[in-house]
PDB file of all heavy atoms in Angstrom:
ATOM      1  N   LEU A 103     -27.686  -1.073   1.177  1.00 39.00           N
ATOM      2  CA  LEU A 103     -27.408  -0.359  -0.004  1.00 39.00           C
ATOM      3  C   LEU A 103     -26.293   0.677   0.269  1.00 39.00           C
ATOM      4  O   LEU A 103     -25.316   0.852  -0.495  1.00 39.00           O
ATOM      5  CB  LEU A 103     -28.689   0.395  -0.500  1.00 39.00           C
ATOM      6  CG  LEU A 103     -28.514   1.266  -1.753  1.00 39.00           C
ATOM      7  CD1 LEU A 103     -27.982   0.519  -2.924  1.00 39.00           C
ATOM      8  CD2 LEU A 103     -29.860   1.937  -1.947  1.00 39.00           C
ATOM      9  N   ALA A 104     -26.332   1.378   1.384  1.00 42.00           N
ATOM     10  CA  ALA A 104     -25.426   2.390   1.741  1.00 42.00           C
ATOM     11  C   ALA A 104     -24.016   1.740   1.981  1.00 42.00           C
ATOM     12  O   ALA A 104     -22.965   2.182   1.470  1.00 42.00           O
ATOM     13  CB  ALA A 104     -25.733   3.063   3.041  1.00 42.00           C
ATOM     14  N   VAL A 105     -23.961   0.573   2.652  1.00 38.00           N
ATOM     15  CA  VAL A 105     -22.750  -0.095   2.834  1.00 38.00           C
ATOM     16  C   VAL A 105     -22.061  -0.514   1.553  1.00 38.00           C
ATOM     17  O   VAL A 105     -20.849  -0.388   1.301  1.00 38.00           O
ATOM     18  CB  VAL A 105     -22.844  -1.323   3.866  1.00 38.00           C
ATOM     19  CG1 VAL A 105     -21.548  -2.115   3.848  1.00 38.00           C
ATOM     20  CG2 VAL A 105     -23.179  -0.794   5.242  1.00 38.00           C
ATOM     21  N   SER A 106     -22.922  -1.094   0.615  1.00 41.00           N
ATOM     22  CA  SER A 106     -22.447  -1.448  -0.660  1.00 41.00           C
ATOM     23  C   SER A 106     -21.886  -0.353  -1.533  1.00 41.00           C
ATOM     24  O   SER A 106     -20.880  -0.480  -2.101  1.00 41.00           O
ATOM     25  CB  SER A 106     -23.673  -2.144  -1.415  1.00 41.00           C
ATOM     26  OG  SER A 106     -23.180  -2.497  -2.769  1.00 41.00           O
ATOM     27  N   VAL A 107     -22.643   0.820  -1.412  1.00 38.00           N
ATOM     28  CA  VAL A 107     -22.110   1.952  -2.239  1.00 38.00           C
ATOM     29  C   VAL A 107     -20.777   2.514  -1.644  1.00 38.00           C
ATOM     30  O   VAL A 107     -19.853   2.842  -2.416  1.00 38.00           O
ATOM     31  CB  VAL A 107     -23.217   3.144  -2.176  1.00 38.00           C
ATOM     32  CG1 VAL A 107     -22.552   4.432  -2.501  1.00 38.00           C
ATOM     33  CG2 VAL A 107     -24.361   2.736  -2.915  1.00 38.00           C
ATOM     34  N   LEU A 108     -20.695   2.504  -0.359  1.00 37.00           N
ATOM     35  CA  LEU A 108     -19.406   2.980   0.352  1.00 37.00           C
ATOM     36  C   LEU A 108     -18.272   1.970  -0.020  1.00 37.00           C
ATOM     37  O   LEU A 108     -17.162   2.428  -0.302  1.00 37.00           O
ATOM     38  CB  LEU A 108     -19.591   3.128   1.822  1.00 37.00           C
ATOM     39  CG  LEU A 108     -20.508   4.222   2.301  1.00 37.00           C
ATOM     40  CD1 LEU A 108     -20.826   4.058   3.813  1.00 37.00           C
ATOM     41  CD2 LEU A 108     -19.865   5.538   2.092  1.00 37.00           C
ATOM     42  N   ALA A 109     -18.571   0.695   0.052  1.00 39.00           N
ATOM     43  CA  ALA A 109     -17.598  -0.289  -0.333  1.00 39.00           C
ATOM     44  C   ALA A 109     -17.093  -0.088  -1.821  1.00 39.00           C
ATOM     45  O   ALA A 109     -15.873  -0.062  -1.997  1.00 39.00           O
ATOM     46  CB  ALA A 109     -18.036  -1.624  -0.090  1.00 39.00           C
ATOM     47  N   ASP A 110     -18.017   0.158  -2.668  1.00 39.00           N
ATOM     48  CA  ASP A 110     -17.675   0.393  -4.090  1.00 39.00           C
ATOM     49  C   ASP A 110     -16.800   1.587  -4.301  1.00 39.00           C
ATOM     50  O   ASP A 110     -15.899   1.624  -5.019  1.00 39.00           O
ATOM     51  CB  ASP A 110     -18.898   0.489  -4.918  1.00 39.00           C
ATOM     52  CG  ASP A 110     -19.627  -0.924  -5.045  1.00 39.00           C
ATOM     53  OD1 ASP A 110     -19.034  -1.876  -4.839  1.00 39.00           O
ATOM     54  OD2 ASP A 110     -20.785  -0.856  -5.562  1.00 39.00           O
ATOM     55  N   SER A 111     -17.113   2.653  -3.493  1.00 36.00           N
ATOM     56  CA  SER A 111     -16.367   3.849  -3.504  1.00 36.00           C
ATOM     57  C   SER A 111     -14.924   3.659  -3.059  1.00 36.00           C
ATOM     58  O   SER A 111     -14.017   4.101  -3.705  1.00 36.00           O
ATOM     59  CB  SER A 111     -16.987   5.055  -2.562  1.00 36.00           C
ATOM     60  OG  SER A 111     -16.277   6.038  -2.470  1.00 36.00           O
ATOM     61  N   ASP A 112     -14.798   2.919  -1.894  1.00 42.00           N
ATOM     62  CA  ASP A 112     -13.417   2.634  -1.470  1.00 42.00           C
ATOM     63  C   ASP A 112     -12.668   1.803  -2.448  1.00 42.00           C
ATOM     64  O   ASP A 112     -11.393   2.086  -2.618  1.00 42.00           O
ATOM     65  CB  ASP A 112     -13.452   1.827  -0.124  1.00 42.00           C
ATOM     66  CG  ASP A 112     -13.884   2.767   1.043  1.00 42.00           C
ATOM     67  OD1 ASP A 112     -13.831   4.002   0.864  1.00 42.00           O
ATOM     68  OD2 ASP A 112     -14.267   2.252   2.073  1.00 42.00           O
ATOM     69  N   LYS A 113     -13.376   0.883  -3.130  1.00 39.00           N
ATOM     70  CA  LYS A 113     -12.686   0.043  -4.061  1.00 39.00           C
ATOM     71  C   LYS A 113     -12.190   0.866  -5.229  1.00 39.00           C
ATOM     72  O   LYS A 113     -11.129   0.587  -5.786  1.00 39.00           O
ATOM     73  CB  LYS A 113     -13.672  -1.070  -4.496  1.00 39.00           C
ATOM     74  CG  LYS A 113     -13.128  -2.168  -5.353  1.00 39.00           C
ATOM     75  CD  LYS A 113     -14.050  -3.231  -5.641  1.00 39.00           C
ATOM     76  CE  LYS A 113     -13.399  -4.407  -6.433  1.00 39.00           C
ATOM     77  NZ  LYS A 113     -14.395  -5.483  -6.685  1.00 39.00           N
ATOM     78  N   LYS A 114     -13.095   1.748  -5.701  1.00 37.00           N
ATOM     79  CA  LYS A 114     -12.689   2.626  -6.825  1.00 37.00           C
ATOM     80  C   LYS A 114     -11.480   3.421  -6.549  1.00 37.00           C
ATOM     81  O   LYS A 114     -10.487   3.517  -7.243  1.00 37.00           O
ATOM     82  CB  LYS A 114     -13.851   3.509  -7.218  1.00 37.00           C
ATOM     83  CG  LYS A 114     -13.592   4.489  -8.341  1.00 37.00           C
ATOM     84  CD  LYS A 114     -14.923   5.260  -8.687  1.00 37.00           C
ATOM     85  CE  LYS A 114     -14.713   6.175  -9.850  1.00 37.00           C
ATOM     86  NZ  LYS A 114     -13.709   7.119  -9.815  1.00 37.00           N
ATOM     87  N   GLU A 115     -11.422   3.984  -5.288  1.00 46.00           N
ATOM     88  CA  GLU A 115     -10.239   4.762  -4.929  1.00 46.00           C
ATOM     89  C   GLU A 115      -9.132   3.977  -4.868  1.00 46.00           C
ATOM     90  O   GLU A 115      -7.935   4.357  -5.351  1.00 46.00           O
ATOM     91  CB  GLU A 115     -10.437   5.302  -3.478  1.00 46.00           C
ATOM     92  CG  GLU A 115      -9.326   6.161  -2.927  1.00 46.00           C
ATOM     93  CD  GLU A 115      -9.613   6.629  -1.562  1.00 46.00           C
ATOM     94  OE1 GLU A 115     -10.093   5.922  -0.669  1.00 46.00           O
ATOM     95  OE2 GLU A 115      -9.205   7.772  -1.305  1.00 46.00           O
ATOM     96  N   SER A 116      -9.084   2.701  -4.401  1.00 50.00           N
ATOM     97  CA  SER A 116      -7.927   1.754  -4.460  1.00 50.00           C
ATOM     98  C   SER A 116      -7.397   1.512  -5.834  1.00 50.00           C
ATOM     99  O   SER A 116      -6.191   1.557  -5.964  1.00 50.00           O
ATOM    100  CB  SER A 116      -8.351   0.498  -3.714  1.00 50.00           C
ATOM    101  OG  SER A 116      -7.419  -0.530  -3.962  1.00 50.00           O
ATOM    102  N   THR A 117      -8.308   1.259  -6.770  1.00 58.00           N
ATOM    103  CA  THR A 117      -7.914   0.817  -8.104  1.00 58.00           C
ATOM    104  C   THR A 117      -7.251   2.090  -8.813  1.00 58.00           C
ATOM    105  O   THR A 117      -6.571   1.903  -9.831  1.00 58.00           O
ATOM    106  CB  THR A 117      -9.080   0.334  -8.876  1.00 58.00           C
ATOM    107  OG1 THR A 117     -10.123   1.278  -8.956  1.00 58.00           O
ATOM    108  CG2 THR A 117      -9.556  -1.044  -8.196  1.00 58.00           C
ATOM    109  N   ASP A 118      -7.544   3.239  -8.331  1.00 90.00           N
ATOM    110  CA  ASP A 118      -7.120   4.500  -8.969  1.00 90.00           C
ATOM    111  C   ASP A 118      -5.623   4.892  -8.617  1.00 90.00           C
ATOM    112  O   ASP A 118      -4.985   5.713  -9.087  1.00 90.00           O
ATOM    113  CB  ASP A 118      -8.004   5.667  -8.699  1.00 90.00           C
ATOM    114  CG  ASP A 118      -9.198   5.684  -9.496  1.00 90.00           C
ATOM    115  OD1 ASP A 118      -9.298   4.858 -10.498  1.00 90.00           O
ATOM    116  OD2 ASP A 118     -10.151   6.406  -9.159  1.00 90.00           O
ATOM    117  N   LEU A 119      -5.067   4.135  -7.537  1.00 98.00           N
ATOM    118  CA  LEU A 119      -3.789   4.479  -7.001  1.00 98.00           C
ATOM    119  C   LEU A 119      -2.818   3.482  -7.517  1.00 98.00           C
ATOM    120  O   LEU A 119      -2.966   2.274  -7.875  1.00 98.00           O
ATOM    121  CB  LEU A 119      -3.734   4.421  -5.523  1.00 98.00           C
ATOM    122  CG  LEU A 119      -4.708   5.453  -4.835  1.00 98.00           C
ATOM    123  CD1 LEU A 119      -4.690   5.238  -3.338  1.00 98.00           C
ATOM    124  CD2 LEU A 119      -4.322   6.915  -5.177  1.00 98.00           C
ATOM    125  N   LYS A 120      -1.426   3.911  -7.489  1.00 98.00           N
ATOM    126  CA  LYS A 120      -0.368   3.134  -7.942  1.00 98.00           C
ATOM    127  C   LYS A 120       0.436   2.833  -6.639  1.00 98.00           C
ATOM    128  O   LYS A 120       0.836   3.729  -5.902  1.00 98.00           O
ATOM    129  CB  LYS A 120       0.490   3.884  -8.914  1.00 98.00           C
ATOM    130  CG  LYS A 120       1.801   3.144  -9.340  1.00 98.00           C
ATOM    131  CD  LYS A 120       2.716   3.930 -10.302  1.00 98.00           C
ATOM    132  CE  LYS A 120       3.406   5.101  -9.602  1.00 98.00           C
ATOM    133  NZ  LYS A 120       4.211   5.836 -10.462  1.00 98.00           N
ATOM    134  N   TYR A 121       0.648   1.443  -6.451  1.00 98.00           N
ATOM    135  CA  TYR A 121       1.434   1.069  -5.270  1.00 98.00           C
ATOM    136  C   TYR A 121       2.762   0.568  -5.509  1.00 98.00           C
ATOM    137  O   TYR A 121       3.046  -0.080  -6.521  1.00 98.00           O
ATOM    138  CB  TYR A 121       0.587   0.012  -4.546  1.00 98.00           C
ATOM    139  CG  TYR A 121      -0.599   0.563  -3.767  1.00 98.00           C
ATOM    140  CD1 TYR A 121      -1.884   0.793  -4.293  1.00 98.00           C
ATOM    141  CD2 TYR A 121      -0.324   0.926  -2.373  1.00 98.00           C
ATOM    142  CE1 TYR A 121      -2.847   1.223  -3.566  1.00 98.00           C
ATOM    143  CE2 TYR A 121      -1.420   1.379  -1.616  1.00 98.00           C
ATOM    144  CZ  TYR A 121      -2.689   1.571  -2.196  1.00 98.00           C
ATOM    145  OH  TYR A 121      -3.733   2.103  -1.462  1.00 98.00           O
ATOM    146  N   VAL A 122       3.659   0.934  -4.666  1.00 98.00           N
ATOM    147  CA  VAL A 122       5.083   0.445  -4.745  1.00 98.00           C
ATOM    148  C   VAL A 122       5.502  -0.278  -3.526  1.00 98.00           C
ATOM    149  O   VAL A 122       5.026   0.106  -2.376  1.00 98.00           O
ATOM    150  CB  VAL A 122       6.147   1.587  -5.055  1.00 98.00           C
ATOM    151  CG1 VAL A 122       5.822   2.291  -6.322  1.00 98.00           C
ATOM    152  CG2 VAL A 122       6.111   2.576  -3.904  1.00 98.00           C
ATOM    153  N   ASP A 123       6.365  -1.338  -3.579  1.00 98.00           N
ATOM    154  CA  ASP A 123       6.746  -2.075  -2.431  1.00 98.00           C
ATOM    155  C   ASP A 123       7.695  -1.246  -1.549  1.00 98.00           C
ATOM    156  O   ASP A 123       8.550  -0.471  -2.037  1.00 98.00           O
ATOM    157  CB  ASP A 123       7.583  -3.342  -3.003  1.00 98.00           C
ATOM    158  CG  ASP A 123       7.964  -4.292  -1.905  1.00 98.00           C
ATOM    159  OD1 ASP A 123       7.865  -3.991  -0.707  1.00 98.00           O
ATOM    160  OD2 ASP A 123       8.445  -5.383  -2.255  1.00 98.00           O
ATOM    161  N   GLY A 124       7.398  -1.275  -0.215  1.00 98.00           N
ATOM    162  CA  GLY A 124       8.193  -0.523   0.681  1.00 98.00           C
ATOM    163  C   GLY A 124       9.706  -0.748   0.583  1.00 98.00           C
ATOM    164  O   GLY A 124      10.458   0.143   0.763  1.00 98.00           O
ATOM    165  N   PHE A 125       9.994  -2.001   0.205  1.00 98.00           N
ATOM    166  CA  PHE A 125      11.569  -2.264  -0.027  1.00 98.00           C
ATOM    167  C   PHE A 125      12.162  -1.631  -1.176  1.00 98.00           C
ATOM    168  O   PHE A 125      13.372  -1.697  -1.388  1.00 98.00           O
ATOM    169  CB  PHE A 125      11.693  -3.779   0.007  1.00 98.00           C
ATOM    170  CG  PHE A 125      11.664  -4.489   1.324  1.00 98.00           C
ATOM    171  CD1 PHE A 125      10.632  -5.196   1.764  1.00 98.00           C
ATOM    172  CD2 PHE A 125      12.709  -4.174   2.274  1.00 98.00           C
ATOM    173  CE1 PHE A 125      10.485  -5.788   3.008  1.00 98.00           C
ATOM    174  CE2 PHE A 125      12.661  -4.821   3.542  1.00 98.00           C
ATOM    175  CZ  PHE A 125      11.573  -5.564   3.871  1.00 98.00           C
ATOM    176  N   SER A 126      11.350  -0.959  -2.122  1.00 98.00           N
ATOM    177  CA  SER A 126      11.927  -0.247  -3.199  1.00 98.00           C
ATOM    178  C   SER A 126      12.305   1.158  -2.747  1.00 98.00           C
ATOM    179  O   SER A 126      12.936   1.951  -3.516  1.00 98.00           O
ATOM    180  CB  SER A 126      10.931  -0.180  -4.300  1.00 98.00           C
ATOM    181  OG  SER A 126       9.879   0.637  -3.978  1.00 98.00           O
ATOM    182  N   LEU A 127      11.915   1.464  -1.476  1.00 98.00           N
ATOM    183  CA  LEU A 127      12.216   2.833  -0.830  1.00 98.00           C
ATOM    184  C   LEU A 127      13.377   2.650   0.191  1.00 98.00           C
ATOM    185  O   LEU A 127      13.846   1.539   0.364  1.00 98.00           O
ATOM    186  CB  LEU A 127      11.035   3.409  -0.326  1.00 98.00           C
ATOM    187  CG  LEU A 127       9.827   3.542  -1.396  1.00 98.00           C
ATOM    188  CD1 LEU A 127       8.585   3.885  -0.731  1.00 98.00           C
ATOM    189  CD2 LEU A 127      10.281   4.492  -2.551  1.00 98.00           C
ATOM    190  N   ARG A 128      13.630   3.676   0.985  1.00 97.00           N
ATOM    191  CA  ARG A 128      14.655   3.540   1.962  1.00 97.00           C
ATOM    192  C   ARG A 128      13.991   3.061   3.342  1.00 97.00           C
ATOM    193  O   ARG A 128      13.031   3.593   3.785  1.00 97.00           O
ATOM    194  CB  ARG A 128      15.322   4.835   2.232  1.00 97.00           C
ATOM    195  CG  ARG A 128      16.364   4.857   3.334  1.00 97.00           C
ATOM    196  CD  ARG A 128      17.051   6.264   3.532  1.00 97.00           C
ATOM    197  NE  ARG A 128      17.762   6.597   2.343  1.00 97.00           N
ATOM    198  CZ  ARG A 128      18.028   7.831   2.019  1.00 97.00           C
ATOM    199  NH1 ARG A 128      17.595   8.948   2.865  1.00 97.00           N
ATOM    200  NH2 ARG A 128      18.728   8.172   0.953  1.00 97.00           N
ATOM    201  N   ILE A 129      14.604   1.886   3.795  1.00 97.00           N
ATOM    202  CA  ILE A 129      14.129   1.456   5.061  1.00 97.00           C
ATOM    203  C   ILE A 129      15.123   1.781   6.202  1.00 97.00           C
ATOM    204  O   ILE A 129      16.261   1.646   6.114  1.00 97.00           O
ATOM    205  CB  ILE A 129      14.093  -0.210   4.908  1.00 97.00           C
ATOM    206  CG1 ILE A 129      13.287  -0.697   3.750  1.00 97.00           C
ATOM    207  CG2 ILE A 129      13.615  -0.728   6.306  1.00 97.00           C
ATOM    208  CD1 ILE A 129      11.811  -0.236   3.778  1.00 97.00           C
ATOM    209  N   MET A 130      14.494   2.398   7.180  1.00 97.00           N
ATOM    210  CA  MET A 130      15.344   2.895   8.331  1.00 97.00           C
ATOM    211  C   MET A 130      14.989   2.069   9.492  1.00 97.00           C
ATOM    212  O   MET A 130      13.855   1.627   9.701  1.00 97.00           O
ATOM    213  CB  MET A 130      15.083   4.371   8.500  1.00 97.00           C
ATOM    214  CG  MET A 130      15.049   5.273   7.287  1.00 97.00           C
ATOM    215  SD  MET A 130      16.713   5.304   6.478  1.00 97.00           S
ATOM    216  CE  MET A 130      17.765   5.984   7.723  1.00 97.00           C
ATOM    217  N   GLY A 131      15.923   2.073  10.509  1.00 97.00           N
ATOM    218  CA  GLY A 131      15.550   1.456  11.854  1.00 97.00           C
ATOM    219  C   GLY A 131      15.880  -0.038  11.876  1.00 97.00           C
ATOM    220  O   GLY A 131      15.553  -0.627  12.941  1.00 97.00           O
ATOM    221  N   LYS A 132      16.554  -0.663  10.902  1.00 97.00           N
ATOM    222  CA  LYS A 132      17.030  -2.079  11.028  1.00 97.00           C
ATOM    223  C   LYS A 132      18.428  -2.036  10.373  1.00 97.00           C
ATOM    224  O   LYS A 132      18.705  -1.339   9.430  1.00 97.00           O
ATOM    225  CB  LYS A 132      16.018  -3.043  10.289  1.00 97.00           C
ATOM    226  CG  LYS A 132      15.889  -2.707   8.849  1.00 97.00           C
ATOM    227  CD  LYS A 132      14.702  -3.638   8.198  1.00 97.00           C
ATOM    228  CE  LYS A 132      15.116  -5.059   7.999  1.00 97.00           C
ATOM    229  NZ  LYS A 132      15.725  -5.275   6.751  1.00 97.00           N
ATOM    230  N   TYR A 133      19.250  -2.967  10.869  1.00 97.00           N
ATOM    231  CA  TYR A 133      20.691  -2.952  10.479  1.00 97.00           C
ATOM    232  C   TYR A 133      21.019  -3.978   9.398  1.00 97.00           C
ATOM    233  O   TYR A 133      22.105  -4.006   8.796  1.00 97.00           O
ATOM    234  CB  TYR A 133      21.589  -2.978  11.656  1.00 97.00           C
ATOM    235  CG  TYR A 133      21.679  -4.313  12.240  1.00 97.00           C
ATOM    236  CD1 TYR A 133      22.732  -5.265  11.889  1.00 97.00           C
ATOM    237  CD2 TYR A 133      20.837  -4.830  13.255  1.00 97.00           C
ATOM    238  CE1 TYR A 133      22.830  -6.527  12.454  1.00 97.00           C
ATOM    239  CE2 TYR A 133      20.975  -6.051  13.875  1.00 97.00           C
ATOM    240  CZ  TYR A 133      21.934  -6.927  13.382  1.00 97.00           C
ATOM    241  OH  TYR A 133      22.074  -8.202  13.998  1.00 97.00           O
ATOM    242  N   HIS A 134      20.186  -5.050   9.284  1.00 98.00           N
ATOM    243  CA  HIS A 134      20.484  -6.157   8.404  1.00 98.00           C
ATOM    244  C   HIS A 134      19.747  -6.041   7.069  1.00 98.00           C
ATOM    245  O   HIS A 134      18.739  -5.346   7.030  1.00 98.00           O
ATOM    246  CB  HIS A 134      20.165  -7.429   9.079  1.00 98.00           C
ATOM    247  CG  HIS A 134      18.647  -7.614   9.320  1.00 98.00           C
ATOM    248  ND1 HIS A 134      17.668  -8.027   8.434  1.00 98.00           N
ATOM    249  CD2 HIS A 134      17.954  -7.290  10.436  1.00 98.00           C
ATOM    250  CE1 HIS A 134      16.613  -8.049   8.885  1.00 98.00           C
ATOM    251  NE2 HIS A 134      16.605  -7.633  10.178  1.00 98.00           N
ATOM    252  N   PRO A 135      20.287  -6.722   5.944  1.00 97.00           N
ATOM    253  CA  PRO A 135      19.762  -6.461   4.693  1.00 97.00           C
ATOM    254  C   PRO A 135      18.645  -7.441   4.335  1.00 97.00           C
ATOM    255  O   PRO A 135      18.151  -7.312   3.209  1.00 97.00           O
ATOM    256  CB  PRO A 135      21.000  -6.784   3.781  1.00 97.00           C
ATOM    257  CG  PRO A 135      21.737  -7.784   4.504  1.00 97.00           C
ATOM    258  CD  PRO A 135      21.552  -7.361   6.083  1.00 97.00           C
ATOM    259  N   GLU A 136      18.240  -8.311   5.167  1.00 98.00           N
ATOM    260  CA  GLU A 136      17.150  -9.283   4.863  1.00 98.00           C
ATOM    261  C   GLU A 136      15.901  -8.564   4.511  1.00 98.00           C
ATOM    262  O   GLU A 136      15.555  -7.426   5.032  1.00 98.00           O
ATOM    263  CB  GLU A 136      16.880 -10.246   6.036  1.00 98.00           C
ATOM    264  CG  GLU A 136      18.044 -11.053   6.358  1.00 98.00           C
ATOM    265  CD  GLU A 136      17.906 -11.887   7.614  1.00 98.00           C
ATOM    266  OE1 GLU A 136      16.743 -11.959   8.192  1.00 98.00           O
ATOM    267  OE2 GLU A 136      18.820 -12.489   8.096  1.00 98.00           O
ATOM    268  N   LYS A 137      15.119  -9.136   3.510  1.00 98.00           N
ATOM    269  CA  LYS A 137      13.914  -8.440   3.032  1.00 98.00           C
ATOM    270  C   LYS A 137      12.730  -8.747   3.892  1.00 98.00           C
ATOM    271  O   LYS A 137      11.820  -9.572   3.490  1.00 98.00           O
ATOM    272  CB  LYS A 137      13.671  -8.867   1.538  1.00 98.00           C
ATOM    273  CG  LYS A 137      12.779  -7.913   0.800  1.00 98.00           C
ATOM    274  CD  LYS A 137      12.660  -8.258  -0.682  1.00 98.00           C
ATOM    275  CE  LYS A 137      11.845  -7.276  -1.366  1.00 98.00           C
ATOM    276  NZ  LYS A 137      11.746  -7.556  -2.889  1.00 98.00           N
TER     277      LYS A 137
END
């Protein structure tokens, strides 16, 4: 029961966030343009 509740909590937190692809931001430390 406890594990199930904690998993549901983590899942809820995940769905509340907005995610963007790292490649839409600035990538540092590599010199080539391959994705």
Side-chain angles (χ1 to χ4, degrees):
L103 179 58
V105 170
S106 175
V107 170
L108 289 171
D110 287 344
S111 173
D112 287 342
K113 189 173 182 181
K114 181 176 183 298
E115 180 183 39
S116 167
T117 57
D118 284 347
L119 297 179
K120 176 182 74 174
Y121 281 88
V122 300
D123 187 350
F125 281 106
S126 69
L127 305 169
R128 179 179 293 156
I129 307 298
M130 312 298 296
K132 62 190 283 277
Y133 76 93
H134 61 87
E136 293 174 10
K137 200 171 181 180

